[in-house]
Amino acid sequence: KKEKLDFWGCCSVVCRALALLALLFPSQEDKGCWGLNVAPGDLEKSPRSDPDPWEALHRHKRSWVWNQFFVLEEYTGNEPLYVGKLHSDVDKGDGKVKYVLTGEGATSIFTIDENTGDIHATKRLDREAQAYYTLQAQAVDRFTNVPVEPRSEFVVKVQDINDNEPKFVDGPYLAGVPEMSPLGTMVVQVAATDADDPTYGNSARVVYSVIHGQPYFSVEPKTGVIRTALPNMDRETRDQYVLVIQAKDMVGQMGGLSGTTSVTVMLTDVNDNPPRFTHKSYQYTVLESLPVQSVVARIKAADADIGSNAEMDYRIVDGDGPGLFNITTDENTQEGIIILLKPLDFETKSGFSLKIEATNRNIDSNFLSLGPFSDTAFVKVTVEDVNEPPIFSTPLSRMVVSEDAKVGTSIGRLSAHDPDNINGAIRYSIDRNTDLERFFNVDASSGIISTAKVLDREANSVHNLTILAMESQDPSQIGKGIALITVLDINDNAPVFAIDYETLLCENAIPGQVIQTISAVDRDEPPSGHRFFFSLAAPIAGNLNFTLRDNKDNTASILTKRGGFKRREQPVYRLPVLILDSGNPALSSTNTLSVRVCECDSDGVALSCGAVAYTATGLSTGALLAILGCIITLLVMVLLIVTMRRRRKEPLILDEERDIRENIVRYDDEGGGEEDTEAFDMVTLRNLNIIRDPNVRRDVTPDTPTFFHYPSASRPPYKSLPDNVVFREFIWERLKDADVDPSAPPYDSLQTYAFEGNGSVAESLSSLESLSTDSDHNYDYLSNWGPRFKKLADLYGNSDGTSVFS
């Protein structure tokens, strides 16, 4: 403190001397002057607004003297800290001048005595928070507030003290250095920061030192670089070190502040350790039944290194049984895995010796002097005997047998032996899952296979049998062999048509026309291929309708001998075709080809085929009687109804109490029409409209009296009408009787006589319209249809009024 006070005292004396010189040598053009009395330690600064040296002798004296004030940070006194004093030459000490302070911290941190110009700091300042404050000072007339001096600006700088310790912002540190590194190898650089002013004193000047971690590592005091202090540090001995580094300000002098951080140094691995087997000889035992590709043994060479430096490759450098074993590296455990490549046989060789070498995969040339980075060891593999199942001398035996072989025929023999030293007896059997129908047997002692049933090549041409060989002394030991038996073909199947042919023959076919090409198939398999011969069977070989031509390519063509085929005469022809194969002995079969006669268009496309419905002349007596019985029954019912209507005499005026309504009388006596085939055969009625021969008629006419007597000239000639017209005439006569009956009731009456059903080819046989009612249809065209339709033309045509219905 004494040194600081002396310093402030010296500065104060210098400032006062400078002020005295200014009073002794004033400029002629001076109009006033600001005098700034600084606090102890302040430095006076007078910056020039114009740097031209020629104007130095003639420049105007400024009213402000620029000064920079200094305030010590972290002041803890009870009184406000004196900063400095402002004074103007205009101030004569009579109290007319008032000093005003504005800017950063004015009135809140800094205060000024408006009478004397003394400036004080009222709060404790922190340089690290704000290093300086810019203020403006002005002298004004106390009474008029008119400035007597222009406004001037000055700076109050906060003077630093050592109140911040160094800090490691990036700590703690984690670093690594390879093991076996030479002395002085750089590990990492640490850095500490000090918040104090680095431009003032030594408060921010830091030096580094190692507090904990010697003698392994050292640190450079000025740079903070950590280096190895010992050579050849071994990771396998110790792989981690924790250092404590100190940073101290004031260049490490007494009284300085300090901070610490930790540095964890890991020694990284290098390949400085060769692999070494812990033993020079290893012994393992395996069963001779060990499957191929199985693991025989695992062997590992020790390596103190880690990671890629511990990776190694194994190989078999010597040993008996070449090609029997192989060794690979397990990448996870770095073990050598010995694998079996071929089956073992105790009876052949019971032990093997192998020489195994382990070599580092990544060798560092810097450490070759430490010795060879490989090692060898011997592995002895002992094979133990196991009871093995019998082995067939040939795993797959191929045999052949003819399909006509007799039961008990020997086909072949399978042989198996016991691979063990005992060489016991063997018993043979067939796995019946491969011979479910038991076609074969095997002799239990000799292994001879024979047939047990008659074979059929066409049913099964190949038999795949599994033959079991069992040790007599140990039935659990079973060996398996395969017998592939091929059945040889014989000619035991006759040829037949390749498909079911549907042959159509047009009525307009011409002689010599090919109507069908046929081919044949044979279930047998002759070695040289099939050869078939075709001909018509002897009974029809000389028929006058068809002939057969063998095309010599296993096909034949059916041709017509004549033309003019008629469905009505014969709708279907059946041709027996004889097919002969080329086997030894040759077999033949007779196949029937059906030829249907069809009606075809001009392009030969079939329109309709099969039998033609015949006219009434072809009806049987029973069918004719059934039809007549139905007609008579219908007529009797109609007559009964008409008779009952005539006998009823109803007055024209009905009683008031009687219920007057329109009645519909319906007789549910209609049949099923053409669809009703249970009562009688409707074939004749169905074909009435397609009779081609107009001379052919049914010579049956119902002889039923009528209540309305026509003139003799107008009575319908039944004998000259077709059958379908006969039924219509009968219905129309009943309708006429009902229309002209004077005793008919005055209201409408519906009388149903028949209903022919759906789908009638003969069209409708009845009508619901009365001749006395107007019809929207014009039937004049019936007159142009000939004498057969004359009656209908008279009934429905436009009448001149002379008819009874007009």
Side-chain angles (χ1 to χ4, degrees), residues 275 277-278 282 284 295 297-303 310-315 326-339 356-359 361:
F277 286 105
T278 55
Y282 299 87
Y284 298 94
V295 176
R298 286 177 173 265
I299 186 173
K300 184 177 181 179
D303 193 330
E311 294 177 356
M312 60 189 71
D313 295 318
Y314 295 87
R315 64 190 184 100
N326 187 29
I327 187 169
T328 60
T329 302
D330 188 332
E331 297 298 336
N332 296 324
T333 62
Q334 295 302 313
E335 291 178 310
I337 304 175
I338 301 175
I339 301 174
I356 308 298
E357 180 185 55
T359 305
R361 189 176 298 171

Side-chain angles (χ1 to χ4, degrees), residues 122-193:
T122 60
K123 294 182 179 180
R124 186 173 64 180
L125 303 179
D126 185 4
R127 189 200 67 84
E128 286 70 39
Q130 186 168 348
Y132 61 90
Y133 297 86
T134 302
L135 300 172
Q136 294 82 32
Q138 191 171 24
V140 300
D141 187 274
R142 181 180 298 275
F143 302 103
T144 63
N145 284 330
V146 176
V148 298
E149 292 284 356
R151 184 186 301 273
S152 184
E153 186 176 81
F154 63 95
V155 174
V156 177
K157 186 174 182 181
V158 182
Q159 189 173 5
D160 182 51
I161 64 173
N162 190 18
D163 59 344
N164 291 278
E165 71 278 2
K167 295 181 179 180
F168 291 92
V169 179
D170 299 328
Y173 294 86
L174 180 63
V177 64
E179 64 172 332
M180 310 302 290
S181 296
L183 180 66
T185 302
M186 178 179 174
V187 179
V188 70
Q189 184 177 12
V190 298
T193 59

Side-chain angles (χ1 to χ4, degrees), residues 392-403:
F392 283 89
S393 56
T394 303
L396 176 62
S397 297
R398 299 181 182 272
M399 304 177 184
V400 294
V401 61
S402 177
E403 68 174 320

Side-chain angles (χ1 to χ4, degrees), residues 337-354:
I337 304 175
I338 301 175
I339 301 174
L340 180 65
L341 297 182
K342 296 179 181 180
L344 298 174
D345 187 8
F346 172 81
E347 289 72 25
T348 303
K349 189 173 179 61
S350 61
F352 301 90
S353 180
L354 307 175

Side-chain angles (χ1 to χ4, degrees), residues 64-79:
W64 288 96
V65 177
W66 184 269
N67 284 282
Q68 181 173 345
F69 295 114
F70 291 88
V71 179
L72 190 66
E73 70 169 331
E74 304 295 343
Y75 174 71
T76 59
N78 295 328
E79 299 295 331

Side-chain angles (χ1 to χ4, degrees), residues 469-537:
M470 181 188 305
E471 290 185 9
S472 299
Q473 296 181 356
D474 187 1
S476 63
Q477 299 298 323
I478 301 175
K480 293 183 179 181
I482 304 297
L484 194 65
I485 302 175
T486 302
V487 181
L488 300 179
D489 184 44
I490 63 171
N491 191 25
D492 58 344
N493 292 276
V496 295
F497 278 156
I499 60 174
D500 293 332
Y501 292 100
E502 183 179 3
T503 304
L504 303 180
L505 173 63
C506 292
E507 290 180 325
N508 56 0
I510 62 176
Q513 180 177 339
V514 177
I515 61 174
Q516 184 70 61
T517 300
I518 59 176
S519 62
V521 293
D522 194 332
R523 297 178 62 190
D524 296 321
E525 292 183 355
S528 58
H530 290 291
R531 177 68 180 94
F532 301 119
F533 304 92
F534 300 86
S535 64
L536 292 178

